Amino acid sequence: METQKPAAKASKSILVAFDWYDHRVYRGIAQYCAEHNWHLSPYLFSDRTVPTKWKGDGAITCYGETLGDFILSLDMPKVDITRNVLPTPIPRVTVDNDQIGRRAARHFLERGYRNFAYYSWESVAINQVRKDAFIETLKAADVPEEGIHIINQPSIDVMRDWEMHVQSMVDQIKDLPRPLAVFTGQDNLGVTLVEVCTNAGISVPDEIAVLGVDNIDFLCECAVVPLSSIDSNLTELGYAAAEQLGRLMDGEIDNEAEPVTVPIKSIVNRRSTEALAVTHPAVAKALELMRREFKNGLVLEDVYEYSGVSKRGLEKAFKRHLNDSPAAVLRRIRLDYAKNCLSQTDIKIDAIAMECGYSNSSNLSHAFNREIGMSPQEYRNVYRSPLFKDKG
């Protein structure tokens, strides 16, 4: 008797209902769809023009004022990627906004800053989550209240006039202490702040360092001063949202499922945060050498000699100004570079080790396991998108 082959699973038709666009989110969704024989609705970018009798299997949504009623009207399983308040339960998948705020604070603290500011849209919910985590992390590091400032986004009417917009921003930042580290809730705000400062004769990063979120590369790299940014892992966000929708459609979870958070990738360092807020001349000199020569076989003896003070004197100064040792700071510079390479490129791990100053991949692996709790390969697996095959 001929054995019957199991019937192939029917293709699912998926709608994406967002009122904004980022190709990385869509790419992650599309990758999962391709892997699971789903197809995306032809009404992908059409918002409310989906025909009333269209029979979809599920939707990935971005709930907000523009599409809120439309999203709620969709009679199909839905997964949402926002933190906005929803009138009915929908499973959520979001980037880790708390981690973004904490990482921004540590980024500036590691560079010796003592004065900080946060700049964002007050009406955007995720901006406020990032702000709270940023400020809480600073306070936990004993930064006093007078060292933490808020820069407010001007009103819409003011923003429509560029000269008024610039003046409003300059009026807020002109009297803030320098050097100042500013974390902006989004890249577009970071680029705006860089441009405002440059037009006003305020040096970025020497007087004001600026860090954004989402790493929109064409925006960050084309700023007047290229903007450093936190890569919030948006491709993985799209992939994870589609994965969660699959679980919902298969009955593995229901609408009351716990939210899923996607960890960030890394900070992509550009010129807007290159400065180091250190007043001690020997520490500043040592840090300048570390950042310039860490790839070139730099050893601590070179650092001590270049700084012009004794080993003991430099170690005490590092502890006082950076709360760390020269060895730990040099190791962190190397590991930050390695993390960027692992998450942003397909460079082989052996080559990354050599590139960031380690003699071989075993030494890099030892440093990763000690400092981060995982191997370089594990780090790449966690923080790279499923779109990219590991070639390391």
Side-chain angles (χ1 to χ4, degrees):
M1 184 176 178
E2 186 177 346
T3 304
Q4 287 187 339
K5 294 181 180 179
K9 285 188 176 181
S11 176
K12 289 183 169 61
S13 185
I14 305 302
L15 176 70
V16 178
F18 290 9
D19 59 3
W20 56 274
Y21 176 80
D22 189 295
H23 68 93
R24 294 167 295 181
V25 182
Y26 286 82
R27 185 187 298 145
I29 294 169
Q31 176 64 25
Y32 191 88
C33 289
E35 291 175 2
H36 293 81
N37 191 34
W38 296 0
H39 72 264
L40 288 171
S41 161
Y43 304 102
L44 182 68
F45 304 113
S46 301
D47 297 345
R48 303 178 189 182
T49 62
V50 179
T52 56
K53 295 181 181 179
W54 177 75
K55 300 297 184 183
D57 295 289
I60 299 171
T61 69
C62 180
Y63 184 83
E65 184 176 349
T66 303
L67 291 179
D69 291 341
F70 170 71
I71 288 168
L72 294 175
S73 74
L74 294 172
D75 186 19
M76 61 187 72
K78 299 182 284 282
V79 167
D80 193 76
I81 66 163
T82 72
R83 289 187 60 150
N84 296 330
V85 176
L86 289 164
T88 59
I90 297 176
R92 317 294 281 268
V93 178
T94 66
V95 298
D96 194 334
N97 292 289
D98 295 278
Q99 185 191 19
I100 286 171
R102 294 193 302 269
R103 187 66 190 88
R106 290 199 298 270
H107 182 75
F108 285 133
L109 288 167
E110 289 166 1
R111 282 154 177 75
Y113 284 90
R114 294 294 179 267
N115 296 294
F116 308 86
Y118 186 74
Y119 172 44
S120 74
W121 293 97
E122 288 188 15
S123 60
V124 177
I126 58 172
N127 282 185
Q128 300 316 301
V129 176
R130 294 166 182 177
K131 168 187 170 183
D132 292 344
F134 179 67
I135 292 174
E136 287 169 9
T137 304
L138 295 176
K139 290 181 176 178
D142 297 324
V143 175
E145 293 279 353
E146 57 269 25
I148 303 173
H149 307 272
I150 303 297
I151 300 172
N152 295 309
Q153 181 72 304
S155 69
I156 293 296
D157 289 340
V158 170
M159 289 174 61
R160 289 188 177 125
D161 184 311
W162 177 243
E163 291 184 358
M164 291 176 61
H165 188 179
V166 170
Q167 191 58 54
S168 172
M169 297 296 298
V170 171
D171 287 344
Q172 293 186 69
I173 62 181
K174 65 182 180 180
D175 295 326
L176 296 181
R178 314 283 171 82
L180 180 71
V182 183
F183 174 44
T184 69
Q186 298 164 222
D187 281 340
N188 60 339
L189 298 178
V191 171
T192 299
L193 183 60
V194 167
E195 190 166 345
V196 166
C197 288
T198 302
N199 288 347
I202 299 169
S203 175
V204 176
D206 296 314
E207 295 180 79
I208 294 181
V210 184
L211 176 66
V213 181
D214 285 337
N215 194 37
I216 304 172
D217 52 6
F218 69 88
L219 186 62
C220 295
E221 290 168 8
C222 295
V224 178
V225 178
L227 181 71
S228 296
S229 183
I230 297 175
D231 188 331
S232 51
N233 214 0
L234 293 179
T235 303
E236 177 64 23
L237 172 67
Y239 191 93
E243 191 173 41
Q244 188 74 332
L245 180 60
R247 296 189 189 102
L248 183 63
M249 291 189 297
D250 290 342
E252 297 175 19
I253 61 170
D254 59 24
N255 286 331
E256 303 287 347
E258 288 294 316
V260 173
T261 55
V262 175
I264 67 171
K265 270 190 176 180
S266 61
I267 291 181
V268 179
N269 291 300
R270 298 185 180 92
R271 192 148 55 89
S272 70
T273 59
E274 276 185 355
L276 293 158
V278 178
T279 56
H280 191 284
V283 174
K285 198 172 180 181
L287 285 168
E288 182 269 328
L289 179 69
M290 288 179 181
R291 293 199 172 277
R292 190 180 73 238
E293 299 293 336
F294 74 92
K295 298 181 182 181
N296 301 322
L298 184 70
V299 295
L300 287 172
E301 285 70 22
D302 299 330
V303 177
Y304 298 135
E305 181 178 353
Y306 186 79
S307 72
V309 300
S310 68
K311 174 182 176 181
R312 179 172 175 78
L314 188 65
E315 289 181 343
K316 288 176 66 176
F318 261 68
K319 185 65 176 176
R320 184 166 63 253
H321 289 270
L322 297 177
N323 198 32
D324 224 332
S325 68
V329 171
L330 179 57
R331 184 166 56 249
R332 186 163 60 243
I333 289 170
R334 285 179 166 145
L335 290 179
D336 282 349
Y337 182 85
K339 287 190 284 187
N340 274 345
C341 289
L342 289 165
S343 64
Q344 303 291 327
T345 76
D346 287 319
I347 299 172
K348 292 183 179 296
I349 292 174
D350 284 345
I352 293 174
M354 298 295 290
E355 177 72 8
C356 61
Y358 288 97
S359 57
N360 54 58
S361 60
S362 295
N363 289 340
L364 176 64
S365 294
H366 179 72
F368 255 77
N369 279 303
R370 181 174 57 190
E371 298 294 325
I372 304 169
M374 63 177 72
S375 70
Q377 185 61 63
E378 289 169 334
Y379 185 91
R380 172 167 271 174
N381 292 343
V382 170
Y383 292 107
R384 295 212 67 206
S385 163
L387 285 175
F388 299 100
K389 293 181 180 179
D390 172 56
K391 299 177 183 179

Coordinates of all heavy atoms in Angstrom, one line a residue, residues 14-74:
I14 N 0.0 37.4 5.7 CA 0.3 38.3 6.8 C 0.2 39.7 6.4 O 0.8 40.1 5.4 CB 1.7 38.0 7.4 CG1 1.8 36.5 7.7 CG2 2.0 38.8 8.6 CD1 0.8 36.0 8.7
L15 N -0.4 40.5 7.2 CA -0.5 42.0 7.0 C 0.5 42.7 8.0 O 0.6 42.3 9.1 CB -1.9 42.5 7.2 CG -2.1 44.0 7.2 CD1 -2.0 44.4 5.7 CD2 -3.5 44.3 7.7
V16 N 1.2 43.7 7.5 CA 2.0 44.6 8.3 C 1.3 45.9 8.4 O 1.2 46.6 7.3 CB 3.4 44.7 7.8 CG1 4.2 45.6 8.7 CG2 4.1 43.3 7.8
A17 N 0.9 46.4 9.5 CA 0.1 47.6 9.7 C 0.9 48.6 10.5 O 0.8 48.6 11.7 CB -1.3 47.4 10.2
F18 N 1.8 49.3 9.9 CA 2.7 50.3 10.6 C 2.3 51.7 10.0 O 2.1 51.8 8.8 CB 4.2 50.1 10.4 CG 4.7 48.9 11.1 CD1 3.9 48.0 11.7 CD2 6.1 48.7 11.1 CE1 4.5 46.8 12.3 CE2 6.6 47.6 11.7 CZ 5.8 46.7 12.3
D19 N 2.5 52.8 10.8 CA 2.4 54.1 10.2 C 3.8 54.7 10.0 O 3.9 56.0 9.9 CB 1.5 55.0 11.1 CG 2.0 55.2 12.5 OD1 3.1 54.6 12.8 OD2 1.3 55.8 13.3
W20 N 4.8 53.9 10.1 CA 6.2 54.4 9.8 C 6.9 53.2 9.2 O 6.4 52.1 9.1 CB 6.9 54.8 11.1 CG 6.9 53.8 12.2 CD1 6.0 53.6 13.1 CD2 8.0 52.8 12.4 NE1 6.3 52.5 13.9 CE2 7.6 52.1 13.5 CE3 9.2 52.6 11.8 CZ2 8.3 51.0 14.0 CZ3 10.0 51.5 12.3 CH2 9.5 50.8 13.4
Y21 N 8.1 53.5 8.6 CA 8.8 52.5 7.9 C 10.3 52.5 8.3 O 10.9 53.6 8.4 CB 8.7 52.8 6.4 CG 9.5 51.8 5.5 CD1 9.0 50.6 5.2 CD2 10.8 52.2 5.0 CE1 9.8 49.7 4.5 CE2 11.5 51.3 4.3 CZ 11.0 50.1 4.0 OH 11.7 49.2 3.2
D22 N 10.8 51.3 8.6 CA 12.2 51.1 8.7 C 12.5 49.8 8.0 O 12.0 48.8 8.4 CB 12.7 51.1 10.2 CG 14.2 51.1 10.3 OD1 14.8 50.1 9.9 OD2 14.8 52.1 10.8
H23 N 13.4 49.8 7.0 CA 13.6 48.6 6.2 C 14.1 47.4 7.0 O 13.9 46.3 6.7 CB 14.6 48.9 5.0 CG 16.0 49.2 5.5 ND1 16.9 48.2 5.6 CD2 16.6 50.3 5.9 CE1 18.1 48.7 6.0 NE2 17.9 50.0 6.2
R24 N 14.8 47.7 8.1 CA 15.3 46.6 8.9 C 14.2 45.8 9.6 O 14.3 44.6 9.7 CB 16.3 47.2 10.0 CG 17.5 47.8 9.3 CD 18.4 48.6 10.3 NE 17.6 49.8 10.8 CZ 18.1 50.6 11.6 NH1 19.3 50.5 12.1 NH2 17.4 51.7 12.0
V25 N 13.2 46.5 10.1 CA 12.1 45.8 10.7 C 11.4 44.9 9.7 O 11.1 43.7 9.9 CB 11.0 46.7 11.3 CG1 9.9 45.9 12.0 CG2 11.7 47.6 12.3
Y26 N 11.1 45.5 8.5 CA 10.4 44.7 7.4 C 11.3 43.6 6.9 O 10.8 42.5 6.6 CB 10.1 45.6 6.3 CG 8.9 46.6 6.6 CD1 9.1 47.7 7.3 CD2 7.7 46.3 6.1 CE1 8.1 48.6 7.6 CE2 6.6 47.1 6.4 CZ 6.8 48.2 7.1 OH 5.7 49.1 7.4
R27 N 12.6 43.8 6.9 CA 13.5 42.7 6.5 C 13.4 41.5 7.4 O 13.4 40.4 7.0 CB 15.0 43.2 6.4 CG 15.9 42.2 5.8 CD 17.4 42.7 5.9 NE 17.6 43.9 5.2 CZ 18.4 44.9 5.5 NH1 19.0 44.8 6.7 NH2 18.5 46.0 4.8
G28 N 13.4 41.8 8.7 CA 13.3 40.7 9.7 C 12.0 39.9 9.6 O 12.0 38.7 9.6
I29 N 10.9 40.7 9.4 CA 9.6 40.0 9.1 C 9.6 39.2 7.9 O 9.2 38.0 7.9 CB 8.5 41.1 9.0 CG1 8.3 41.8 10.4 CG2 7.1 40.4 8.6 CD1 7.4 43.0 10.3
A30 N 10.2 39.8 6.8 CA 10.2 39.0 5.5 C 11.1 37.8 5.6 O 10.8 36.7 5.0 CB 10.8 40.0 4.4
Q31 N 12.2 37.8 6.4 CA 13.0 36.7 6.5 C 12.3 35.5 7.2 O 12.3 34.4 6.7 CB 14.3 37.0 7.4 CG 15.2 35.8 7.7 CD 15.8 35.2 6.4 OE1 16.0 35.9 5.4 NE2 16.2 33.9 6.5
Y32 N 11.5 35.8 8.2 CA 10.7 34.8 8.9 C 9.7 34.2 8.0 O 9.4 33.0 7.9 CB 10.1 35.3 10.2 CG 9.5 34.2 11.0 CD1 10.3 33.5 12.0 CD2 8.2 33.8 10.9 CE1 9.8 32.5 12.8 CE2 7.6 32.8 11.6 CZ 8.4 32.1 12.6 OH 7.9 31.1 13.3
C33 N 9.0 35.1 7.2 CA 8.0 34.7 6.3 C 8.6 33.8 5.2 O 8.0 32.7 4.9 CB 7.4 35.9 5.6 SG 6.3 36.9 6.6
A34 N 9.7 34.1 4.7 CA 10.4 33.2 3.7 C 10.7 31.9 4.3 O 10.6 30.9 3.6 CB 11.6 33.9 3.2
E35 N 11.1 31.8 5.5 CA 11.5 30.6 6.1 C 10.3 29.7 6.4 O 10.5 28.5 6.6 CB 12.3 30.9 7.4 CG 13.7 31.5 7.3 CD 14.3 31.8 8.6 OE1 13.7 31.6 9.6 OE2 15.4 32.4 8.6
H36 N 9.1 30.3 6.6 CA 7.9 29.5 7.0 C 6.8 29.5 6.0 O 5.7 29.2 6.3 CB 7.4 30.1 8.3 CG 8.4 29.8 9.5 ND1 9.5 30.6 9.7 CD2 8.4 28.9 10.4 CE1 10.2 30.2 10.7 NE2 9.6 29.1 11.2
N37 N 7.2 29.8 4.7 CA 6.2 29.7 3.6 C 5.0 30.6 3.9 O 3.8 30.3 3.5 CB 5.7 28.2 3.4 CG 4.9 28.1 2.2 OD1 5.2 28.7 1.1 ND2 3.9 27.2 2.2
W38 N 5.2 31.8 4.5 CA 4.2 32.8 4.6 C 4.4 33.8 3.4 O 5.5 33.9 2.9 CB 4.3 33.6 5.9 CG 4.1 32.8 7.1 CD1 3.9 31.5 7.3 CD2 4.2 33.4 8.4 NE1 3.8 31.2 8.6 CE2 4.0 32.3 9.4 CE3 4.5 34.7 8.9 CZ2 4.0 32.5 10.7 CZ3 4.5 34.9 10.3 CH2 4.2 33.8 11.2
H39 N 3.3 34.5 3.1 CA 3.5 35.6 2.2 C 2.9 36.9 2.8 O 1.9 36.8 3.6 CB 2.9 35.3 0.8 CG 1.4 35.3 0.7 ND1 0.7 34.2 0.8 CD2 0.6 36.4 0.5 CE1 -0.6 34.5 0.7 NE2 -0.7 35.8 0.5
L40 N 3.5 38.0 2.4 CA 3.1 39.3 3.0 C 2.0 39.8 2.1 O 2.0 39.7 0.9 CB 4.2 40.3 3.0 CG 5.3 40.0 4.1 CD1 6.5 40.9 3.9 CD2 4.7 40.2 5.5
S41 N 1.0 40.4 2.7 CA -0.2 41.0 2.0 C 0.3 42.0 1.0 O 1.2 42.8 1.3 CB -1.1 41.6 3.0 OG -2.0 42.5 2.4
P42 N -0.4 42.1 -0.1 CA -0.1 43.2 -1.1 C -0.5 44.6 -0.6 O -0.2 45.6 -1.2 CB -0.9 42.8 -2.3 CG -2.0 42.0 -1.8 CD -1.4 41.2 -0.7
Y43 N -1.2 44.6 0.5 CA -1.7 45.8 1.1 C -0.7 46.3 2.2 O -1.0 47.1 3.1 CB -3.1 45.7 1.7 CG -4.1 45.2 0.7 CD1 -4.4 43.9 0.7 CD2 -4.6 46.0 -0.3 CE1 -5.3 43.4 -0.2 CE2 -5.4 45.6 -1.2 CZ -5.8 44.2 -1.2 OH -6.7 43.8 -2.2
L44 N 0.5 45.8 2.1 CA 1.6 46.1 3.1 C 1.7 47.6 3.5 O 1.7 47.9 4.7 CB 2.9 45.6 2.6 CG 4.1 45.7 3.4 CD1 4.0 44.8 4.6 CD2 5.4 45.3 2.6
F45 N 1.8 48.4 2.5 CA 2.0 49.9 2.7 C 0.7 50.7 2.6 O 0.8 51.9 2.4 CB 3.1 50.4 1.8 CG 4.4 49.6 1.9 CD1 4.8 48.9 0.8 CD2 5.1 49.7 3.0 CE1 6.0 48.2 0.9 CE2 6.3 49.0 3.1 CZ 6.7 48.2 2.1
S46 N -0.4 50.0 2.5 CA -1.6 50.7 2.2 C -2.5 51.2 3.4 O -3.6 51.7 3.2 CB -2.5 49.9 1.2 OG -1.8 49.5 0.1
D47 N -2.0 51.0 4.6 CA -2.7 51.4 5.8 C -4.2 50.9 5.8 O -4.4 49.8 5.8 CB -2.6 52.9 5.9 CG -1.2 53.4 6.1 OD1 -0.3 52.5 6.4 OD2 -0.9 54.6 6.0
R48 N -5.1 51.9 5.6 CA -6.5 51.5 5.8 C -7.2 51.1 4.5 O -8.4 51.0 4.5 CB -7.2 52.8 6.4 CG -6.6 53.3 7.7 CD -7.3 54.5 8.1 NE -6.6 55.1 9.3 CZ -7.0 56.2 9.9 NH1 -8.1 56.8 9.6 NH2 -6.3 56.7 10.9
T49 N -6.5 50.8 3.5 CA -7.1 50.5 2.2 C -7.3 49.0 2.1 O -7.6 48.5 1.0 CB -6.3 51.0 1.0 OG1 -5.0 50.4 1.0 CG2 -6.2 52.5 1.1
V50 N -7.0 48.2 3.1 CA -7.3 46.7 3.1 C -8.8 46.5 2.9 O -9.6 47.0 3.6 CB -6.8 46.0 4.4 CG1 -7.1 44.6 4.3 CG2 -5.3 46.3 4.6
P51 N -9.1 45.7 1.9 CA -10.6 45.5 1.6 C -11.2 44.8 2.8 O -10.6 44.0 3.5 CB -10.5 44.5 0.4 CG -9.2 44.8 -0.3 CD -8.3 45.1 0.8
T52 N -12.5 45.1 3.1 CA -13.2 44.7 4.2 C -13.3 43.1 4.3 O -13.4 42.5 5.3 CB -14.5 45.3 4.4 OG1 -15.3 45.1 3.2 CG2 -14.4 46.8 4.6
K53 N -13.3 42.5 3.1 CA -13.5 41.0 3.1 C -12.2 40.3 2.8 O -12.3 39.1 2.6 CB -14.6 40.7 2.0 CG -15.9 41.2 2.3 CD -17.0 40.8 1.3 CE -18.3 41.4 1.6 NZ -19.4 41.1 0.6
W54 N -11.1 41.0 2.9 CA -9.8 40.3 2.8 C -9.6 39.3 3.9 O -9.8 39.7 5.1 CB -8.7 41.3 2.7 CG -7.3 40.7 2.6 CD1 -6.7 40.1 1.5 CD2 -6.3 40.6 3.6 NE1 -5.5 39.7 1.8 CE2 -5.2 40.0 3.1 CE3 -6.3 41.0 5.0 CZ2 -4.1 39.7 3.8 CZ3 -5.2 40.7 5.7 CH2 -4.1 40.1 5.2
K55 N -9.3 38.1 3.6 CA -9.1 37.1 4.6 C -7.6 36.8 4.9 O -7.0 36.0 4.3 CB -9.8 35.7 4.2 CG -11.3 35.9 3.9 CD -12.0 36.2 5.1 CE -13.5 36.3 4.9 NZ -14.3 36.7 6.0
G56 N -7.1 37.5 5.9 CA -5.7 37.3 6.3 C -5.7 36.4 7.5 O -6.6 36.1 8.2
D57 N -4.5 35.8 7.7 CA -4.2 34.9 8.8 C -3.7 35.6 10.1 O -3.8 35.1 11.2 CB -3.3 33.8 8.4 CG -3.8 32.9 7.3 OD1 -4.8 32.2 7.6 OD2 -3.4 33.1 6.1
G58 N -3.0 36.7 9.9 CA -2.5 37.4 11.0 C -1.9 38.8 10.7 O -1.7 39.1 9.5
A59 N -1.6 39.6 11.6 CA -1.0 40.9 11.4 C 0.0 41.3 12.4 O -0.1 40.9 13.6 CB -2.2 41.9 11.5
I60 N 1.0 42.0 12.0 CA 2.0 42.6 12.8 C 1.8 44.1 12.8 O 1.8 44.7 11.7 CB 3.5 42.2 12.4 CG1 3.7 40.7 12.4 CG2 4.5 42.9 13.3 CD1 4.9 40.2 11.8
T61 N 1.6 44.7 14.0 CA 1.1 46.0 14.0 C 1.9 47.0 14.8 O 2.8 46.5 15.6 CB -0.4 46.1 14.6 OG1 -0.3 45.7 16.0 CG2 -1.3 45.1 13.9
C62 N 1.7 48.2 14.6 CA 2.4 49.3 15.3 C 1.3 50.2 15.8 O 0.9 51.2 15.1 CB 3.4 50.0 14.5 SG 4.3 51.3 15.3
Y63 N 0.7 50.0 17.0 CA -0.5 50.7 17.4 C -0.1 52.1 17.8 O 0.8 52.4 18.5 CB -1.0 49.9 18.7 CG -2.3 50.6 19.2 CD1 -3.5 50.2 18.6 CD2 -2.3 51.5 20.2 CE1 -4.7 50.8 19.0 CE2 -3.5 52.1 20.7 CZ -4.7 51.7 20.1 OH -5.9 52.3 20.5
G64 N -1.0 53.0 17.3 CA -0.8 54.4 17.6 C -2.1 55.2 17.2 O -3.0 54.6 16.7
E65 N -2.0 56.5 17.3 CA -3.1 57.3 17.0 C -3.6 57.2 15.5 O -4.8 57.1 15.2 CB -2.8 58.8 17.2 CG -3.9 59.8 17.0 CD -3.6 61.2 17.4 OE1 -2.5 61.4 18.0 OE2 -4.4 62.1 17.1
T66 N -2.6 57.1 14.6 CA -3.0 57.1 13.2 C -3.8 55.8 12.8 O -4.8 55.8 12.1 CB -1.7 57.2 12.3 OG1 -1.1 58.4 12.6 CG2 -2.1 57.2 10.8
L67 N -3.3 54.6 13.2 CA -3.9 53.4 12.8 C -4.6 52.6 13.9 O -5.0 51.5 13.7 CB -2.8 52.5 12.2 CG -2.1 52.9 10.9 CD1 -1.0 51.9 10.4 CD2 -3.2 53.0 9.8
G68 N -4.7 53.2 15.1 CA -5.3 52.5 16.2 C -6.6 51.8 15.9 O -6.8 50.6 16.2
D69 N -7.6 52.6 15.4 CA -8.9 52.0 15.1 C -8.9 50.9 14.1 O -9.5 49.9 14.2 CB -9.9 53.1 14.7 CG -10.2 54.1 15.8 OD1 -10.0 53.7 17.0 OD2 -10.7 55.2 15.5
F70 N -8.0 51.2 13.1 CA -7.9 50.2 12.0 C -7.3 48.9 12.6 O -7.8 47.8 12.3 CB -7.0 50.7 10.9 CG -6.6 49.7 9.9 CD1 -7.5 49.2 9.0 CD2 -5.3 49.2 9.8 CE1 -7.2 48.2 8.0 CE2 -4.9 48.3 8.9 CZ -5.9 47.8 8.0
I71 N -6.3 49.0 13.4 CA -5.6 47.8 13.9 C -6.6 47.0 14.8 O -6.7 45.8 14.7 CB -4.4 48.2 14.7 CG1 -3.3 48.6 13.8 CG2 -3.9 47.0 15.6 CD1 -2.1 49.3 14.4
L72 N -7.4 47.7 15.6 CA -8.4 47.0 16.5 C -9.5 46.4 15.7 O -10.1 45.4 16.1 CB -9.0 48.0 17.5 CG -8.0 48.6 18.5 CD1 -8.7 49.6 19.4 CD2 -7.4 47.5 19.4
S73 N -9.8 46.9 14.5 CA -10.8 46.3 13.7 C -10.4 45.0 13.0 O -11.3 44.3 12.5 CB -11.3 47.3 12.6 OG -10.3 47.5 11.6
L74 N -9.1 44.7 12.9 CA -8.6 43.5 12.2 C -9.0 42.3 13.0 O -8.6 42.1 14.1 CB -7.1 43.6 12.0 CG -6.6 44.7 11.1 CD1 -5.0 44.7 11.2 CD2 -7.0 44.5 9.7

